[in-house]
């Protein structure tokens, strides 16, 4: 299938095994829209969006598309092809990949700060993947703003959960309303139990 090839070839840091795990949990989540924080070039959006398409639901992808501090020139995660005429901008890459994957209309980009959007977001979510800000406070703020919108029985996944600041937010989730259900690569996957 075309979306799978686009997912595998898109720029990003998500391993295929992690993408497969996201897709599997997105397929078995309760009814309702799916979402991710951190879209970058659309890699995870292809994996999760393919599940949304199969289920007849939609997926929101929240990202300001201006990158993170670790993506600045000279930093570890800098990818020069993401610099365009207006500076660092992953939105054209995201749109091209989602279009080529046949997922336009299913994957809805929401372009803005997840912290600003999150303060105005009220739509419940069946599935949420957090892969935006990677600093301690940024991840915690995403969790505090967005996790309350996850439906009972819904899925909450974190990428790069080996980073201590992210691991501590995963622990916090496991002490709040969520239980661990799977680890895949650097992914931690939890389910809302109450
Ligand atoms: C690691 S990348 C996401 C990778 C993507 N999930 C994938 O699998 O390809 C992190 C993204 O989060 C975005 N980001 C970081 N902090 C953000 C914030 N506070 N609000 C919105 N987007 C943010 C960056 O622009 C970047 O595209």
């Amino acid at each position: 299938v075309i979306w799978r090839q686009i997912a595998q070839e898109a720029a990003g840091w998500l391993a295929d095994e992690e993408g497969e795990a996201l897709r599997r949990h997105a397929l078995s989540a309760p009814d309702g829209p799916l979402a991710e924080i951190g879209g970058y070039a659309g890699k995870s959006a292809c994996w999760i969006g393919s599940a949304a398409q199969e289920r007849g639901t939609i997926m929101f992808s929240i990202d300001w598309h201006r990158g993170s501090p670790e993506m600045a020139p000279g930093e570890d995660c800098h990818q020069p092809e993401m610099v365009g005429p207006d500076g660092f901008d992953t939105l054209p890459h995201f749109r091209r990949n989602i279009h080529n994957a046949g997922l336009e209309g299913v994957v809805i980009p929401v372009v803005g700060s997840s912290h600003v959007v999150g303060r105005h977001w009220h739509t419940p979510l069946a599935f949420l993947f957090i892969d935006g800000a990677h600093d301690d406070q940024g991840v915690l703020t995403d969790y505090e703003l967005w996790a309350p919108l996850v439906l009972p029985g819904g899925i909450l996944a974190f990428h790069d959960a080996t980073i201590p600041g992210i691991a501590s937010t995963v622990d916090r989730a496991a002490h709040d309303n969520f239980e661990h259900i799977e680890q895949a690569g650097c992914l931690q996957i939890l389910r809302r139990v109450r």
Side-chain angles (χ1 to χ4, degrees), residues 10-14 22 36-45 47-48 62-71 77 88 90 110-116 129-135 138 142 159-160:
W13 299 271
L14 195 77
L22 289 174
E36 71 175 2
I37 297 171
Y40 198 67
K43 195 179 193 63
S44 48
W47 289 108
I48 302 164
I62 298 98
D63 196 317
W64 53 27
H65 286 285
R66 294 292 184 198
S68 305
E70 60 273 16
M71 295 167 191
C77 297
F88 193 93
T90 54
V110 178
V111 183
S113 156
S114 60
H115 301 161
V116 174
F129 175 43
I130 298 185
D131 190 23
H134 279 48
D135 62 290
D142 279 333
H159 197 225
D160 297 316

Side-chain angles (χ1 to χ4, degrees), residues 65-150:
H65 286 285
R66 294 292 184 198
S68 305
E70 60 273 16
M71 295 167 191
E75 300 296 328
D76 287 352
C77 297
H78 182 62
Q79 297 189 312
E81 66 271 30
M82 298 302 162
V83 181
D86 303 315
F88 193 93
D89 184 5
T90 54
L91 185 57
H93 299 261
F94 182 94
R95 295 202 72 199
R96 188 177 314 123
N97 284 329
I98 295 305
H99 174 80
N100 291 341
L103 293 171
E104 255 175 11
V106 174
V107 176
I108 315 293
V110 178
V111 183
S113 156
S114 60
H115 301 161
V116 174
V117 176
R119 283 196 286 276
H120 299 273
W121 190 275
H122 300 289
T123 303
L125 300 168
F127 173 102
L128 174 64
F129 175 43
I130 298 185
D131 190 23
H134 279 48
D135 62 290
D136 302 7
Q137 187 56 53
V139 178
L140 184 60
T141 302
D142 279 333
Y143 170 75
E144 288 178 333
L145 288 171
W146 290 88
L149 277 311
V150 175

